[in-house]
Amino acid sequence: MNSDVLSDAFFESLGSSNVALEKANTLPPACYTDDAFYRFEQEALFNHEWLCVGREAQVAKPGDYFTTRIIGEPIIVARDRAGVIHAMSAVCQHRAMLVAEGAGNARSFVCPYHHWTYGLNGDLVGAPAMGRTCDFEKSSAGLPVFKVEIWFGFIFINFDRDAAPLAPRLAEVGKAIANYRLDEAETLTPFTGQFPWNWKVMFENNNDGYHASRLHQGPLHNFVPSERAVFPDSDPADAGFLRFNGTLHPDASFNPTQRAVLPIFPDLVAEDRGRMTFANVPPTLSLVMTSDLVIYLILRPDGAETMEQDTGFLVAPGASKDPAFEHRLEMIMTSSRKIIAQDMHVDELVQQGLRSRFATRGRYSWQEGAQSQFNRWLILRYLAAWQALKARGEQGA
């Protein structure tokens, strides 16, 4: 990895972002722009952390599947005939053709190129005209499979077969959002967008309590003021962290009435209903939770300064049966789109600013506590990966 930023001096400099918020600096701009650092992040984060790829509802029936990609890796998620969810590479082990695209229902995955056929669990079950090939065994030519864990209805995968389970490392986050019972929520159809900025710019923006009363000032957002932001302590060794933001009244929602217009998640208590909850499982999942709607973001980087994102919505069980559901949902979507447009404009200009020779390592307001949590989560993994690379003699590769 040839880059000026991949050095002992650079990683030592991260220490000033790994201290108490009132003393901390932002991360170096190169963490958001440098191609070599992005490749380093693939090993430091994405090769070993649990990555959200979607919802169980996307593979509701046996044979259902969908495809996605993270850090350029094409992935299939499928439910087999016994009801078990599998995740595997979409790359045919013959000539690297992708064996599936999009989503649907299938009995198997047939490579369109030479018709190698794989089961819903990734096993190779058919390989035409391979009988004369020496030492060829179908049992050793299946699609590479990944670890899978389901958390509140979200499907996570891990490229690291030795990775520790996810749920125990999300105990505190799980407690905070348990009353939403997201595993029982209705999942609306997600949509995907492509964006010209680093994935951390998006993750930080979604957790930035400081800008809420400034960038989004006005009747569509002023019920959730920045000064009511709360940042619970978190252990960077855990898999996630939280941000709460108190609201001016219970059951606040992003629509012109400022109040919930969809059915409220039925098990929420007064504490839940008096705040917005932001639950984060980096590097891929961020949740924005109100009393009547949960927005989830699945971040999928594909370069140092580019990313894709799946944006989805969860509602209370049975909410969509209301004849007025689509009209009520549109009230929220119309307002949300205006707020999101402001965020997107900022994200794009922040990325441009990070490329400038004048970009510096700024200081934080107390209302940016989630950025400190995120930095500590990142830096713990950055430093461990850098030491591992040095031990293997790969830091200059």
Side-chain angles (χ1 to χ4, degrees), residues 75-99:
I75 296 162
I76 304 171
V77 179
R79 188 183 292 271
D80 69 17
R81 296 298 161 185
V84 178
I85 294 176
H86 302 272
M88 64 210 84
S89 171
V91 178
C92 183
Q93 298 300 285
H94 172 226
R95 294 271 295 280
M97 175 68 181
L98 299 190
V99 304

Side-chain angles (χ1 to χ4, degrees), residues 192-214:
T192 298
Q194 291 78 37
F195 305 107
W197 50 76
N198 182 273
W199 68 276
K200 294 186 295 299
V201 170
M202 178 70 86
F203 209 98
E204 290 171 349
N205 177 274
N206 198 50
N207 286 285
D208 177 22
Y210 191 25
H211 80 276
S213 293
R214 297 162 180 90

Side-chain angles (χ1 to χ4, degrees), residues 47-229:
N47 285 349
H48 302 286
E49 292 297 323
W50 287 94
L51 311 174
C52 187
V53 291
R55 292 279 296 172
E56 275 191 288
Q58 293 173 256
V59 285
K61 301 186 300 295
D64 283 355
Y65 73 91
F66 67 89
T67 60
T68 186
R69 67 181 65 220
I70 296 179
I71 58 169
E73 288 292 348
I75 296 162
I76 304 171
V77 179
R79 188 183 292 271
D80 69 17
R81 296 298 161 185
V84 178
I85 294 176
H86 302 272
M88 64 210 84
S89 171
V91 178
C92 183
Q93 298 300 285
H94 172 226
R95 294 271 295 280
M97 175 68 181
L98 299 190
V99 304
E101 300 177 90
N105 187 278
R107 298 189 64 83
S108 59
F109 299 111
V110 181
C111 177
Y113 200 3
H114 300 99
H115 284 204
W116 281 32
T117 302
Y118 299 89
L120 296 171
N121 64 353
D123 289 349
L124 180 63
V125 296
M130 292 295 291
R132 299 182 188 181
T133 302
C134 295
D135 302 320
F136 174 74
E137 296 290 342
K138 287 192 296 185
S139 61
S140 61
L143 299 175
V145 297
F146 314 129
K147 294 187 75 168
V148 173
E149 188 166 333
I150 309 299
W151 182 77
F152 287 105
F154 289 99
I155 303 171
F156 284 82
I157 69 165
N158 203 310
F159 295 129
D160 184 351
R161 299 298 301 172
D162 297 322
L166 173 66
R169 296 170 54 224
L170 283 175
E172 293 304 313
V173 175
K175 288 178 190 175
I177 68 172
N179 293 338
Y180 281 86
R181 297 173 65 172
L182 294 183
D183 51 331
E184 301 174 11
E186 286 192 51
T187 301
L188 308 183
T189 303
F191 63 88
T192 298
Q194 291 78 37
F195 305 107
W197 50 76
N198 182 273
W199 68 276
K200 294 186 295 299
V201 170
M202 178 70 86
F203 209 98
E204 290 171 349
N205 177 274
N206 198 50
N207 286 285
D208 177 22
Y210 191 25
H211 80 276
S213 293
R214 297 162 180 90
L215 178 65
H216 302 313
Q217 58 181 306
L220 295 181
H221 204 289
N222 61 14
F223 57 83
V224 55
S226 295
E227 61 267 20
R228 294 199 179 189

